[in-house]
Amino acid sequence: AAGVIQSPRHLIKEKRETATLKCYPIPRHDTVYWYQQGPGQDPQFLISFYEKMQSDKGSIPDRFSAQQFSDYHSELNMSSLELGDSALYFCASSSDRTGADTQYFGPGTRLTVL
Amino acid sequence: QKEVEQDPGPLSVPEGAIVSLNCTYSNSAFQYFMWYRQYSRKGPELLMYTYSSGNKEDGRFTAQVDKSSKYISLFIRDSQPSDSATYLCAANEGYSGGGADGLTFGKGTHLIIQP
């Protein structure tokens, strides 16, 4: 079965640079979520989109922004990168609008900020 | 204090044993409860989800939720070395929360199944 696709899988940036992470949800999934997982930490919810509209917002820094496009893929834009932004970034997708909202995670993008 | 609390372990058991993993939560608005398995440097893999209180069984896995005590459990029968991973409990309000609700995770329990 098709899974969530994330690109790139690894990214190395310098402080104060910008980064763009991409997420392609499971086919026919209309909802996308972004999570950040620091070393030894649990995933922290950043933001979600349903039908191209921002739906829920978590602990996303103001330096980050995201959007969902007409083909349902999503991009997370990160500016003025800081050393503390080094983490695994996961995208998850779902399609269950009846309430269960089971979220399926992608393989993640490992961001290293030097 | 985190809304979902989970003992990070590690928890080490012999192959074939029954494993019990547990979480507690504090947000009474949580309606949906999930268990994810995460191997090192990989994405979390959904194992089970449960709505409100009750039990759910899938193969060797059983999930239990007791909303009265705000307690979440995952049982693994006939544990295998391949079950060695970090197990994350998670919860959210579902769409009753007003949108595509982000998950709140526990810290994860590192499980080791000894051959």
Side-chain angles (χ1 to χ4, degrees), chain A residues 39-83:
Chain A
Q41 302 296 314
D42 54 291
Q44 296 293 311
F45 170 65
L46 295 177
I47 196 166
S48 64
F49 292 87
Y50 168 67
E51 285 290 347
K52 294 150 278 183
M53 299 289 290
Q54 181 181 310
S55 187
D56 193 15
K57 197 171 182 180
S59 53
I60 185 169
D62 291 341
R63 299 178 289 108
F64 294 7
S65 64
Q67 57 182 326
Q68 186 180 30
F69 295 87
S70 57
D71 63 351
Y72 297 107
H73 95 272
S74 178
E75 295 183 4
L76 177 67
N77 299 292
M78 311 161 71
S79 63
S80 302
L81 287 169
E82 302 174 356
L83 295 178

Side-chain angles (χ1 to χ4, degrees), chain A residues 31 33 35 37 41-45 48 55-56 88 90 94 96-107 110, chain B residues 2 32 34 36 38 41-46 49 88 92-95 98-108:
Chain A
T31 309
Y33 310 77
Y35 292 84
Q37 187 174 30
Q41 302 296 314
D42 54 291
Q44 296 293 311
F45 170 65
S48 64
S55 187
D56 193 15
L88 266 171
F90 291 108
S94 72
D96 191 339
R97 291 292 289 164
T98 61
D101 187 24
T102 47
Q103 299 179 27
Y104 297 89
F105 282 72
R110 181 170 295 280
Chain B
K2 280 179 66 67
Y32 293 91
M34 292 84 168
Y36 286 84
Q38 187 174 27
R41 298 173 175 249
K42 304 291 186 184
E45 173 193 5
L46 179 65
Y49 82 90
L88 296 151
N92 71 0
E93 298 177 25
Y95 285 98
D101 199 27
L103 293 170
T104 299
F105 284 87
K107 285 287 189 186

Side-chain angles (χ1 to χ4, degrees), chain B residues 11-19 78-81 112-115:
Chain B
L11 175 64
S12 183
V13 301
E15 182 177 355
I18 295 175
V19 176
D78 187 26
S79 56
Q80 304 294 313
I112 301 167
I113 308 297
Q114 302 164 338

Side-chain angles (χ1 to χ4, degrees), chain B residues 60-79:
Chain B
R60 296 186 296 114
F61 299 91
T62 300
Q64 288 184 352
V65 175
D66 182 347
K67 291 195 74 181
S68 63
S69 59
K70 296 187 174 66
Y71 200 79
I72 314 164
S73 300
L74 178 71
F75 299 95
I76 306 174
R77 292 181 297 281
D78 187 26
S79 56

